[in-house]
Amino acid sequence: MRIGELAEITGASPRALRNYESAGLIRSERADNGYRVYGVGTAGRVRNIRHLLDAGLTLADVQCFRACLDGDMTTAPPSPEGLRIARERLAVIDARIAAQTAARDRLARALEAVPAASGVRDRGGRGGPARAPSDARRAVTAASTG
């Protein structure tokens, strides 16, 4: 099947399929006209790749599952290596969430520190007075250093 057909039946974009191929996760042959031609089993492999990516793994993480990509990964029991990779990825995601939450909290505190009656109109349309960029910058600087 050609790349457009594979994309249609798997929900992956042609660009994603080329990316999976360049990562060595799927293979194609070249037809006489230069078009990529994929085997029938490639669709299941792509579905498994997408399943892992949708679960939060990266393409580099998926590389470790190469030997398992032809089976039904949605029902198979996870391997110890698969569990290790998933736990490591979860820890990375948790750390990113914590960092973003901390940044959000600092920004919220900075904005709360700006006087409500600063006389600057709300440009965001969310009610309440907007802060002039210089006011917000000073408040953010104060919150991040204090």
Side-chain angles (χ1 to χ4, degrees):
M1 85 186 79
R2 292 198 341 213
I3 195 166
E5 297 169 287
L6 184 59
E8 187 174 327
I9 64 172
T10 61
S13 69
R15 183 178 181 176
L17 294 172
R18 287 189 292 273
N19 194 22
Y20 303 161
E21 188 171 351
S22 69
L25 296 171
I26 61 174
R27 289 192 320 254
S28 69
E29 301 292 327
R30 293 291 183 154
D32 291 338
N33 59 8
Y35 290 166
R36 287 177 167 88
V37 178
Y38 296 92
V40 179
T42 307
R45 199 167 175 85
V46 169
R47 285 188 194 99
N48 283 330
I49 293 167
R50 290 178 52 84
H51 171 73
L52 293 169
L53 294 172
D54 289 345
L57 299 181
T58 66
L59 205 53
D61 296 332
V62 173
Q63 293 284 346
C64 299
F65 293 89
R66 255 197 264 221
C68 310
L69 291 175
D70 291 321
D72 183 2
M73 294 190 79
T74 61
T75 60
S79 69
E81 178 71 1
L83 288 173
R84 183 191 63 75
I85 291 168
R87 287 185 181 115
E88 287 175 2
R89 182 58 45 206
L90 182 60
V92 168
I93 292 169
D94 284 343
R96 287 182 182 162
I97 289 170
Q100 289 296 307
T101 300
R104 185 237 172 258
D105 292 347
R106 285 189 305 274
L107 181 58
R109 282 192 309 275
L111 291 174
E112 288 170 3
V114 177
S118 66
V120 179
R121 289 187 339 198
D122 182 3
R123 296 187 308 172
R126 298 205 172 168
R131 293 7 174 205
S134 58
D135 291 343
R137 217 174 290 118
R138 279 193 297 271
V140 169
T141 302
S144 65
T145 58

